[in-house]
Amino acid sequence: EFSKEEQILQRFFAEAQTSQSLNHPNIARVYESARAEDGTPYLVMELLTGQPLSAWIDSGQAISPQQAAPIVYGVLQALHLAHQRRVIHRDMKPDNLFITRDASGQYVVKVLDFGIAKVMDAAGGMGNKTRTGVLLGTPGYMSPEQIKNSKAVDARSDLWAVGIIFYEMLTQQIPFHAENEFARLTAVLTDEATPIEKTAPHLAAWSGFFRKALAKEPADRFQTAEEMGNALMATVRGGAVSSPAMGMAAPLPAATGNATVAM
């Protein structure tokens, strides 16, 4: 739709170049970008075999803390690098977290789609109506400040989304209940998150972590991915994870659908 619009193409290649610089084991690699003979822009990316995290969440089974915490920690490591490079993802959600395995058989999480938000901004999206009338962004994972002004967000909005994803992994519930996604936008702005100990009493040890992760005011939230990662590990060490060896080799619940390949 936008392949002939030079401003958007320039943004596409600029963001592709930025993504190429994000070399991290928890970020899907972008190797190069170019144009095909007919002018169509494309990316050459790392080939991944596995499933998006959403497939495990949609399985209907809660993911245990000893399985979920290493995944979230890997996401935070990826965001730490990106945020240091002043790259904000702005659309963190389970579909953008891909679970694969390394050579030893351990699970590895890969963050997808860095830079897409800025390309969509150039195309008139991310907080505005697109040309097809679709509101871009994912309401269930947007922070209060992102709902109010999607272009004026910083790293703390990415961290809010990580908090929502982690809560959903552990409980199979969402912290802001509403009849539909757009009602949830209002709930995020006006209601407090349901305390995790109310949703899942056996996860009460995570109460403080989620209270800070889902604070409405950005200043009351974790300020950096590193801080959030340290708090995650401190909660684990404090007994929130009962397994003596928290690792990513433990089996996850059966994912929905067949294995997929993302390019």
Side-chain angles (χ1 to χ4, degrees):
E1 183 180 354
F2 302 110
S3 61
K4 305 299 182 184
E5 299 192 24
E6 195 60 34
Q7 179 184 0
I8 298 172
L9 288 173
Q10 288 176 5
R11 173 72 73 172
F12 174 86
F13 289 114
E15 293 306 314
Q17 187 172 13
T18 298
S19 296
Q20 284 176 252
S21 73
L22 298 178
N23 186 2
H24 190 279
N26 297 115
I27 297 176
R29 291 295 311 275
V30 175
Y31 293 113
E32 65 176 291
S33 58
R35 297 194 198 201
E37 291 183 0
D38 64 358
T40 302
Y42 65 89
L43 301 177
V44 178
M45 299 178 66
E46 177 180 11
L47 180 67
L48 300 174
T49 301
Q51 294 277 4
L53 180 61
S54 56
W56 272 272
I57 291 176
D58 292 344
S59 73
Q61 293 180 265
I63 300 173
S64 68
Q66 60 263 39
Q67 297 164 321
I71 294 173
V72 173
Y73 189 75
V75 172
L76 292 170
Q77 294 298 295
L79 290 177
H80 177 60
L81 173 67
H83 294 165
Q84 283 187 317
R85 304 280 178 85
R86 301 181 182 276
V87 177
I88 311 300
H89 192 288
R90 288 171 48 189
D91 195 21
M92 294 294 297
K93 57 186 177 182
D95 280 338
N96 281 335
L97 302 178
F98 198 85
I99 308 296
T100 185
R101 288 182 183 266
D102 64 16
S104 68
Q106 288 194 323
Y107 288 110
V108 177
V109 62
K110 300 274 189 175
V111 181
L112 312 178
D113 285 355
F114 276 103
I116 293 299
K118 286 190 175 181
V119 176
M120 297 313 298
D121 274 346
M126 295 307 288
N128 299 315
K129 290 289 185 178
T130 67
R131 298 179 185 192
T132 55
V134 178
L135 181 67
L136 292 180
T138 308
Y141 304 95
M142 293 169 69
S143 66
E145 64 272 20
Q146 187 174 7
I147 293 170
K148 294 174 185 176
N149 182 359
S150 66
K151 295 184 180 181
V153 301
D154 60 22
R156 294 169 296 185
S157 281
D158 283 350
L159 302 183
W160 165 282
V162 172
I164 298 284
I165 293 166
F166 190 26
Y167 188 108
E168 191 174 0
M169 291 171 72
L170 294 179
T171 67
Q172 279 288 306
Q173 302 289 326
I174 51 178
F176 295 92
H177 294 284
E179 292 182 358
N180 54 61
E181 291 284 10
F182 291 99
R184 190 166 296 119
L185 296 176
T186 301
V188 168
L189 292 173
T190 61
D191 300 340
E192 295 298 325
T194 303
I196 196 163
E197 64 271 24
K198 183 175 179 180
T199 301
H202 66 286
L203 297 174
W206 290 95
S207 177
F209 177 88
F210 283 105
R211 190 162 52 248
K212 190 172 182 70
L214 301 179
K216 289 200 183 300
E217 291 297 327
D220 296 332
R221 232 173 276 155
F222 295 111
Q223 298 300 290
T224 66
E226 182 179 32
E227 180 191 1
M228 192 172 186
N230 289 340
L232 176 78
M233 297 311 297
T235 307
V236 167
R237 289 192 294 267
V241 171
S242 58
S243 172
M246 184 189 73
M248 290 185 68
L252 287 165
T256 58
N258 298 319
T260 59
V261 177
M263 292 187 289

